[in-house]
Amino acid sequence: MRIDIDNLKVAYGETVAIDSLSLRLDTGKIYGLLGRNGAGKTSLLSVLAGFRRHSGGTVLADDSPIFENWLTTREISLIRDAGETVNLGTVEDALYFAEDVRPRWDAAYAQELIDLFKLDRKKNVKSMSKGQRSAVGVVVGLASRAPLTMFDESYLGMDAPSRQAFYDALLADFMAHPRTIILSTHLIEEVSSLFEEVVIIDKGRLVVHSPADELLAMGSAVTGPAEQVEEFTRDLTVLGSKQLGPTRSVMVYGPLDHAEARKAGLETGPIAMQELFIHLTGGPAS
Amino acid sequence: MFDDRSPIYRQIADRIKAEVLSGALKGDEQVMSTNQYAAFFRINPATAQKAFQQLVDEGVLYKKRGIGMFVSPAARDTLRAERREGFFTDVVDPMVAEAKAIGIPLDDVIKRIRDSR
Amino acid sequence: MRFPSRLLAANIWFALFAWLAYLVVITLVTVGIGVWGELNESVWEKAVQLTRWYALFVGVALVTEFLPLFIAHGQSRRQFGFQAAVTIAIFAPFLSALLVISFLLESLLYGLTGWTWALGQAHLFSAPTQVPMIFLEYTVMFVGWLVAGVFVSSAFYRWQGGGLLAIVPAVAIVLFVQATIGDKTPLPFISLRIGFDVADSALSAVLAAVGAFVVGLGLTWLIIRDVPLRNKVS
């Protein structure tokens, strides 16, 4: 499903959660949506899923409006931590409901996932542990096969092995049934290799939208004797720096001539996506 | 799985090249699909696709429509020639520099190389 | 779409079992009073009190349980509103039918034992065998209470504490509906005559029920037509 967002604004009374945000998401890609707490991730996803009406601008899914447009929203799935997609009696009840309203529901696949996450079909969802409830959400989100599938940190309650199982399942199912997937997460290093493109928002505004590898290629760490490093990075966009004795390491953003740096006796290396994210959204928390 | 020092797709490309060089992958042999690589390394298939594209551009692999990717018959020789070109600058020079830095006489290095024949 | 029938079926199924259990309890109470005390009134007339609170609860649950679920699964608010209306329109007469059966069974019991059956207050019916009027009276009652539940919980869902204000119109709806079926003081523990003084008649009862249905659900629709899904489930 293709998403066209133009000049989007989402406000809660006086508080503006999203402002003048324009973004285009293509069919059949996995997107990583990154932002700090309160950056507006949940607001953005809620608008995309028709959970709330936006305050200004336009949002189109395959050229159709989303809010209160049933034919479009039934093709959109957003799984949140709040668990509103699954809070209904037992796991079985939740699956029945999803099956009824989701046109592309795959019951056999849902059962596979239930087995994978070792869930009890007869158990009441509300009485489950946070991790299990998250897993039920994941099952519903994946088995719906919605052309736009979004997970808003909904899988963060799961333990590490279950999360790994989720990433594998997501990837395998994405390859078998390509669709637009948006993952919003705090565990950036864990999932960044799944992203084809990355969207970073901060304080309700778009900071970066770029293919994941291009974003990674934009960041480099230049390490060497402090003076040479200073000299070399003077005209570059410096994200941050660290010093250890006489050695200085500076993180720069933008194209970098690695050969030139090596010639100057400096080491260059990549920066992890998490580091880039931190520095692109205002630096480490003070 | 990855060392984080270079883009994932380059690491995949390097791995395939290494397999071709060692003879684990032979000429005209089919390599695993991008999806299999993506699942194995838990990466986006587009990233794996990029690694394959790079190898196609370099002539290491060739594409058969609807079937998959195969190792070019000449891939091994090409790669060996390439590596030979860079061998002294990429491998020997750093080794000599290291030996000097830590005080190993070059004669000892040469002796070791002779002995290992 | 199969689901509305499921929503309804689940509610009906549960109500059926709850009613069976309630029937046993009320019958035991009746027999108890008849044996050890003096029984000269219908016990089911009093037992109806609890059933309408149950209806209110079902109305509340329709919104708190199913509205978020509908929207989260890509259904529209309009669809939910329609399903809720259909559910109320079918569930109210169903509950009423259970009460009709209760009164018939009670009448059978009183007939066998020779206890005196009488009503404590005004109703559209005067004997336990007047099935159509009993059915009408309680259908009207359940419509009022279900609608009130849906309306109040919609307001709470949207405005949290601000939903308190919705209790006023909801109480008005309930009082008005109750007034048309003979009950001028429908709230327990309130003996003041705060109800509406409306002539009891089948016609005014039907009109009141239709009015409550249209006005109550109309107001509900104004509340939910663009309600955002809450970010946290409490």
Side-chain angles (χ1 to χ4, degrees):
Chain A
M1 184 174 270
R2 200 184 76 249
I3 303 293
D4 291 286
I5 302 171
D6 186 42
N7 206 16
L8 177 70
K9 183 177 178 183
V10 181
Y12 303 84
E14 295 288 293
T15 321
V16 178
I18 301 272
D19 202 13
S20 358
L21 187 132
S22 298
L23 188 62
R24 187 197 151 110
L25 306 179
D26 290 321
T27 301
K29 288 185 181 173
I30 300 180
Y31 288 88
L33 175 63
L34 311 179
R36 301 194 163 201
N37 287 334
K41 298 189 298 284
T42 298
S43 297
L44 175 59
L45 295 178
S46 297
V47 167
L48 290 181
F51 283 13
R52 76 168 48 244
R53 175 183 264 172
H54 53 286
S55 321
T58 53
V59 184
L60 299 176
D62 283 344
D63 300 320
S64 302
I66 296 173
F67 189 78
E68 280 296 87
N69 183 7
W70 169 66
L71 288 174
T72 296
T73 53
R74 68 177 180 160
E75 301 279 33
I76 298 175
S77 165
L78 166 58
I79 306 294
R80 306 193 302 182
D81 204 20
E84 57 273 299
T85 39
V86 295
N87 275 346
L88 171 85
T90 63
V91 172
E92 214 152 61
D93 292 332
L95 297 188
Y96 269 130
F97 186 87
E99 181 163 15
D100 266 339
V101 294
R102 290 298 184 184
R104 297 165 201 264
W105 181 261
D106 185 335
Y109 180 53
Q111 183 54 50
E112 244 174 71
L113 293 169
I114 292 275
D115 295 340
L116 175 68
F117 294 116
K118 300 182 182 64
L119 296 167
D120 181 355
R121 287 181 76 99
K122 302 283 178 202
K123 200 163 174 189
N124 192 296
V125 177
K126 280 178 183 163
S127 69
M128 285 178 155
S129 70
K130 187 172 166 49
Q132 285 179 312
R133 244 182 306 142
S134 298
V136 182
V138 160
V139 172
V140 169
L142 286 177
S144 294
R145 296 253 165 83
L148 173 60
T149 300
M150 301 177 278
F151 292 98
D152 184 13
E153 302 181 348
S154 47
Y155 47 95
L156 295 192
M158 297 159 74
D159 58 13
S162 302
R163 287 202 304 275
Q164 302 292 15
F166 165 59
Y167 303 143
D168 286 338
L170 175 88
L171 198 53
D173 202 54
F174 167 74
M175 291 190 283
H177 305 271
R179 51 204 195 260
T180 306
I181 293 179
I182 304 178
L183 297 171
S184 130
T185 186
H186 281 132
L187 302 175
I188 298 172
E189 285 318 294
E190 224 178 85
V191 278
S192 61
S193 67
L194 298 182
F195 304 155
E196 180 165 352
E197 295 190 10
V198 177
V199 174
I200 299 180
I201 59 174
D202 191 41
K203 301 187 185 83
R205 289 171 183 273
L206 182 70
V207 178
V208 169
H209 173 206
S210 107
D213 51 347
E214 279 176 30
L215 173 65
L216 285 170
M218 288 292 276
S220 329
V222 181
T223 309
E227 254 176 58
Q228 275 116 296
V229 172
E230 281 302 310
E231 173 75 25
F232 187 79
T233 57
R234 185 169 296 144
D235 299 326
L236 303 173
T237 311
V238 173
L239 296 177
S241 61
K242 284 186 289 195
Q243 183 133 11
L244 183 66
T247 304
R248 194 166 176 78
S249 180
V250 170
M251 281 185 275
V252 294
Y253 186 72
L256 183 76
D257 190 337
H258 292 262
E260 194 69 25
R262 274 194 293 275
K263 222 175 278 173
L266 303 171
E267 262 182 63
T268 62
I271 312 180
M273 192 179 287
Q274 177 140 315
E275 292 282 347
L276 274 171
F277 165 72
I278 290 171
H279 291 288
L280 287 170
T281 57
S286 46
Chain B
M1 188 128 331
F2 298 106
D3 64 7
D4 235 26
R5 309 255 336 142
S6 56
I8 299 168
Y9 66 87
R10 201 172 302 154
Q11 294 181 44
I12 292 181
D14 287 349
R15 188 178 290 252
I16 294 174
K17 280 185 194 172
E19 281 168 0
V20 171
L21 272 174
S22 73
L25 277 175
K26 297 193 169 46
D28 291 321
E29 192 175 325
Q30 188 169 9
V31 296
M32 288 199 304
S33 70
T34 45
N35 280 4
Q36 283 169 308
Y37 265 94
F40 184 81
F41 292 110
R42 196 178 283 143
I43 55 170
N44 193 290
T47 311
Q49 186 63 47
K50 232 170 229 174
F52 280 59
Q53 195 51 51
Q54 188 187 327
L55 292 171
V56 169
D57 292 346
E58 292 177 16
V60 177
L61 300 183
Y62 65 93
K63 199 183 286 180
K64 274 193 199 168
R65 288 240 169 264
I67 304 176
M69 295 282 191
F70 293 81
V71 179
S72 306
R76 186 151 185 245
D77 293 339
T78 318
L79 285 172
R80 283 171 68 129
E82 261 171 34
R83 292 290 174 101
R84 271 200 295 269
E85 251 168 53
F87 181 73
F88 287 99
T89 48
D90 293 350
V91 180
V92 179
D93 292 354
M95 181 184 74
V96 171
E98 172 81 0
K100 278 179 179 163
I102 59 178
I104 298 177
L106 286 183
D107 284 345
D108 287 7
V109 176
I110 292 164
K111 183 175 183 297
R112 173 64 175 251
I113 293 171
R114 285 234 171 82
D115 291 351
S116 67
R117 249 195 309 190
Chain C
M1 187 163 68
R2 274 175 297 158
F3 188 69
S5 50
R6 246 189 86 78
L7 169 59
L8 200 59
N11 270 313
I12 285 178
W13 200 238
F14 181 81
L16 199 61
F17 280 100
W19 169 74
L20 280 173
Y22 196 46
L23 187 66
V24 171
V25 171
I26 295 302
T27 308
L28 288 177
V29 168
T30 309
V31 171
I33 300 175
V35 172
W36 289 291
E38 204 169 318
L39 191 64
N40 46 28
E41 268 189 345
S42 164
V43 175
W44 263 104
E45 186 197 13
K46 307 285 181 291
V48 165
Q49 293 249 357
L50 200 61
T51 63
R52 58 201 195 191
W53 288 100
Y54 170 73
L56 183 84
F57 166 77
V58 169
V60 168
L62 270 185
V63 173
T64 57
E65 295 288 302
F66 291 100
L67 176 64
L69 197 69
F70 263 69
I71 298 172
H73 268 302
Q75 305 287 292
S76 64
R77 289 148 187 83
R78 202 173 311 118
Q79 280 167 316
F80 171 77
F82 178 72
Q83 300 304 337
V86 170
T87 303
I88 290 172
I90 297 175
F91 196 54
F94 167 76
L95 287 178
S96 180
L98 295 181
L99 288 186
V100 166
I101 299 169
S102 306
F103 275 106
L104 288 176
L105 290 174
E106 186 180 63
S107 139
L108 197 66
L109 180 67
Y110 279 53
L112 288 172
T113 54
W115 293 324
T116 330
W117 190 92
L119 288 166
Q121 62 174 50
H123 285 278
L124 295 182
F125 59 95
S126 54
T129 48
Q130 291 171 358
V131 170
M133 289 313 266
I134 298 178
F135 180 68
L136 175 69
E137 171 166 338
Y138 291 123
T139 300
V140 167
M141 179 187 80
F142 285 129
V143 166
W145 287 71
L146 282 164
V147 166
V150 166
F151 172 67
V152 169
S153 60
S154 298
F156 272 103
Y157 187 81
R158 176 151 199 164
W159 295 296
Q160 280 100 6
L164 280 170
L165 287 175
I167 291 180
V168 176
V171 167
I173 288 172
V174 164
L175 290 182
F176 186 72
V177 167
Q178 289 288 135
T180 63
I181 53 175
D183 191 357
K184 307 304 181 196
T185 58
L187 297 177
F189 317 121
I190 300 175
S191 48
L192 287 171
R193 283 181 56 101
I194 55 167
F196 293 86
D197 218 351
V198 184
D200 310 336
S201 79
L203 181 65
S204 61
V206 169
L207 289 177
V210 171
F213 191 80
V214 172
V215 173
L217 293 186
L219 290 174
T220 304
W221 173 243
L222 291 181
I223 296 172
I224 65 166
R225 57 197 283 264
D226 60 352
V227 67
L229 210 59
R230 277 205 213 152
N231 284 346
K232 291 272 177 283
V233 170
S234 49

PDB file of all heavy atoms in Angstrom, chain C residues 72-86:
ATOM      1  N   ALA C  72      -9.721  -0.618  15.975  1.00  0.00           N
ATOM      2  CA  ALA C  72      -8.369  -1.154  15.854  1.00  0.00           C
ATOM      3  C   ALA C  72      -8.277  -2.180  14.732  1.00  0.00           C
ATOM      4  O   ALA C  72      -7.215  -2.389  14.157  1.00  0.00           O
ATOM      5  CB  ALA C  72      -7.926  -1.792  17.172  1.00  0.00           C
ATOM      6  N   HIS C  73      -9.389  -2.796  14.393  1.00  0.00           N
ATOM      7  CA  HIS C  73      -9.376  -3.769  13.309  1.00  0.00           C
ATOM      8  C   HIS C  73      -9.852  -3.178  11.999  1.00  0.00           C
ATOM      9  O   HIS C  73     -10.286  -3.888  11.100  1.00  0.00           O
ATOM     10  CB  HIS C  73     -10.200  -4.994  13.674  1.00  0.00           C
ATOM     11  CG  HIS C  73      -9.375  -6.064  14.326  1.00  0.00           C
ATOM     12  ND1 HIS C  73      -8.287  -6.624  13.717  1.00  0.00           N
ATOM     13  CD2 HIS C  73      -9.456  -6.649  15.530  1.00  0.00           C
ATOM     14  CE1 HIS C  73      -7.744  -7.523  14.518  1.00  0.00           C
ATOM     15  NE2 HIS C  73      -8.432  -7.546  15.648  1.00  0.00           N
ATOM     16  N   GLY C  74      -9.813  -1.856  11.910  1.00  0.00           N
ATOM     17  CA  GLY C  74     -10.093  -1.231  10.622  1.00  0.00           C
ATOM     18  C   GLY C  74     -11.558  -1.133  10.263  1.00  0.00           C
ATOM     19  O   GLY C  74     -11.903  -0.934   9.101  1.00  0.00           O
ATOM     20  N   GLN C  75     -12.438  -1.300  11.262  1.00  0.00           N
ATOM     21  CA  GLN C  75     -13.856  -1.064  11.004  1.00  0.00           C
ATOM     22  C   GLN C  75     -14.130   0.403  11.298  1.00  0.00           C
ATOM     23  O   GLN C  75     -13.406   1.030  12.059  1.00  0.00           O
ATOM     24  CB  GLN C  75     -14.712  -1.936  11.913  1.00  0.00           C
ATOM     25  CG  GLN C  75     -14.386  -3.406  11.807  1.00  0.00           C
ATOM     26  CD  GLN C  75     -14.877  -4.000  10.508  1.00  0.00           C
ATOM     27  OE1 GLN C  75     -16.065  -4.125  10.277  1.00  0.00           O
ATOM     28  NE2 GLN C  75     -13.953  -4.351   9.624  1.00  0.00           N
ATOM     29  N   SER C  76     -15.187   0.941  10.713  1.00  0.00           N
ATOM     30  CA  SER C  76     -15.443   2.366  10.934  1.00  0.00           C
ATOM     31  C   SER C  76     -16.317   2.566  12.168  1.00  0.00           C
ATOM     32  O   SER C  76     -16.971   1.647  12.646  1.00  0.00           O
ATOM     33  CB  SER C  76     -16.116   2.984   9.713  1.00  0.00           C
ATOM     34  OG  SER C  76     -17.381   2.389   9.525  1.00  0.00           O
ATOM     35  N   ARG C  77     -16.316   3.793  12.649  1.00  0.00           N
ATOM     36  CA  ARG C  77     -17.189   4.138  13.771  1.00  0.00           C
ATOM     37  C   ARG C  77     -18.641   3.991  13.341  1.00  0.00           C
ATOM     38  O   ARG C  77     -19.503   3.611  14.128  1.00  0.00           O
ATOM     39  CB  ARG C  77     -16.880   5.562  14.228  1.00  0.00           C
ATOM     40  CG  ARG C  77     -15.534   5.671  14.937  1.00  0.00           C
ATOM     41  CD  ARG C  77     -14.893   7.029  14.700  1.00  0.00           C
ATOM     42  NE  ARG C  77     -13.534   7.094  15.237  1.00  0.00           N
ATOM     43  CZ  ARG C  77     -12.459   6.638  14.599  1.00  0.00           C
ATOM     44  NH1 ARG C  77     -12.578   6.092  13.405  1.00  0.00           N
ATOM     45  NH2 ARG C  77     -11.264   6.715  15.139  1.00  0.00           N
ATOM     46  N   ARG C  78     -18.882   4.311  12.071  1.00  0.00           N
ATOM     47  CA  ARG C  78     -20.245   4.197  11.542  1.00  0.00           C
ATOM     48  C   ARG C  78     -20.715   2.739  11.636  1.00  0.00           C
ATOM     49  O   ARG C  78     -21.824   2.451  12.070  1.00  0.00           O
ATOM     50  CB  ARG C  78     -20.256   4.665  10.080  1.00  0.00           C
ATOM     51  CG  ARG C  78     -21.616   5.086   9.583  1.00  0.00           C
ATOM     52  CD  ARG C  78     -21.508   5.691   8.177  1.00  0.00           C
ATOM     53  NE  ARG C  78     -20.451   6.702   8.113  1.00  0.00           N
ATOM     54  CZ  ARG C  78     -19.373   6.599   7.329  1.00  0.00           C
ATOM     55  NH1 ARG C  78     -19.196   5.555   6.543  1.00  0.00           N
ATOM     56  NH2 ARG C  78     -18.473   7.551   7.319  1.00  0.00           N
ATOM     57  N   GLN C  79     -19.826   1.822  11.237  1.00  0.00           N
ATOM     58  CA  GLN C  79     -20.202   0.407  11.311  1.00  0.00           C
ATOM     59  C   GLN C  79     -20.481  -0.016  12.748  1.00  0.00           C
ATOM     60  O   GLN C  79     -21.429  -0.733  13.010  1.00  0.00           O
ATOM     61  CB  GLN C  79     -19.075  -0.467  10.754  1.00  0.00           C
ATOM     62  CG  GLN C  79     -19.066  -0.525   9.262  1.00  0.00           C
ATOM     63  CD  GLN C  79     -17.770  -1.132   8.768  1.00  0.00           C
ATOM     64  OE1 GLN C  79     -16.704  -0.805   9.249  1.00  0.00           O
ATOM     65  NE2 GLN C  79     -17.881  -2.022   7.809  1.00  0.00           N
ATOM     66  N   PHE C  80     -19.612   0.465  13.647  1.00  0.00           N
ATOM     67  CA  PHE C  80     -19.830   0.106  15.040  1.00  0.00           C
ATOM     68  C   PHE C  80     -21.179   0.623  15.529  1.00  0.00           C
ATOM     69  O   PHE C  80     -21.937  -0.092  16.185  1.00  0.00           O
ATOM     70  CB  PHE C  80     -18.713   0.656  15.939  1.00  0.00           C
ATOM     71  CG  PHE C  80     -19.035   0.494  17.386  1.00  0.00           C
ATOM     72  CD1 PHE C  80     -18.903  -0.743  17.999  1.00  0.00           C
ATOM     73  CD2 PHE C  80     -19.548   1.553  18.131  1.00  0.00           C
ATOM     74  CE1 PHE C  80     -19.241  -0.915  19.323  1.00  0.00           C
ATOM     75  CE2 PHE C  80     -19.895   1.385  19.459  1.00  0.00           C
ATOM     76  CZ  PHE C  80     -19.736   0.143  20.058  1.00  0.00           C
ATOM     77  N   GLY C  81     -21.481   1.884  15.206  1.00  0.00           N
ATOM     78  CA  GLY C  81     -22.746   2.478  15.633  1.00  0.00           C
ATOM     79  C   GLY C  81     -23.930   1.668  15.117  1.00  0.00           C
ATOM     80  O   GLY C  81     -24.886   1.381  15.858  1.00  0.00           O
ATOM     81  N   PHE C  82     -23.827   1.261  13.858  1.00  0.00           N
ATOM     82  CA  PHE C  82     -24.899   0.473  13.266  1.00  0.00           C
ATOM     83  C   PHE C  82     -25.037  -0.880  13.978  1.00  0.00           C
ATOM     84  O   PHE C  82     -26.145  -1.308  14.328  1.00  0.00           O
ATOM     85  CB  PHE C  82     -24.606   0.273  11.772  1.00  0.00           C
ATOM     86  CG  PHE C  82     -25.614  -0.574  11.073  1.00  0.00           C
ATOM     87  CD1 PHE C  82     -26.895  -0.077  10.827  1.00  0.00           C
ATOM     88  CD2 PHE C  82     -25.304  -1.860  10.669  1.00  0.00           C
ATOM     89  CE1 PHE C  82     -27.838  -0.861  10.186  1.00  0.00           C
ATOM     90  CE2 PHE C  82     -26.246  -2.648  10.037  1.00  0.00           C
ATOM     91  CZ  PHE C  82     -27.518  -2.152   9.792  1.00  0.00           C
ATOM     92  N   GLN C  83     -23.891  -1.530  14.221  1.00  0.00           N
ATOM     93  CA  GLN C  83     -23.930  -2.829  14.899  1.00  0.00           C
ATOM     94  C   GLN C  83     -24.500  -2.706  16.313  1.00  0.00           C
ATOM     95  O   GLN C  83     -25.257  -3.552  16.766  1.00  0.00           O
ATOM     96  CB  GLN C  83     -22.533  -3.439  14.998  1.00  0.00           C
ATOM     97  CG  GLN C  83     -21.840  -3.686  13.676  1.00  0.00           C
ATOM     98  CD  GLN C  83     -22.658  -4.539  12.756  1.00  0.00           C
ATOM     99  OE1 GLN C  83     -23.514  -5.290  13.197  1.00  0.00           O
ATOM    100  NE2 GLN C  83     -22.431  -4.403  11.462  1.00  0.00           N
ATOM    101  N   ALA C  84     -24.118  -1.620  16.988  1.00  0.00           N
ATOM    102  CA  ALA C  84     -24.612  -1.421  18.348  1.00  0.00           C
ATOM    103  C   ALA C  84     -26.132  -1.243  18.332  1.00  0.00           C
ATOM    104  O   ALA C  84     -26.849  -1.804  19.167  1.00  0.00           O
ATOM    105  CB  ALA C  84     -23.925  -0.208  18.984  1.00  0.00           C
ATOM    106  N   ALA C  85     -26.631  -0.471  17.365  1.00  0.00           N
ATOM    107  CA  ALA C  85     -28.072  -0.244  17.260  1.00  0.00           C
ATOM    108  C   ALA C  85     -28.810  -1.552  17.000  1.00  0.00           C
ATOM    109  O   ALA C  85     -29.827  -1.855  17.643  1.00  0.00           O
ATOM    110  CB  ALA C  85     -28.355   0.765  16.143  1.00  0.00           C
ATOM    111  N   VAL C  86     -28.269  -2.345  16.077  1.00  0.00           N
ATOM    112  CA  VAL C  86     -28.899  -3.636  15.766  1.00  0.00           C
ATOM    113  C   VAL C  86     -28.889  -4.535  17.005  1.00  0.00           C
ATOM    114  O   VAL C  86     -29.886  -5.195  17.328  1.00  0.00           O
ATOM    115  CB  VAL C  86     -28.164  -4.331  14.596  1.00  0.00           C
ATOM    116  CG1 VAL C  86     -28.637  -5.767  14.430  1.00  0.00           C
ATOM    117  CG2 VAL C  86     -28.355  -3.544  13.319  1.00  0.00           C
TER     118      VAL C  86
END
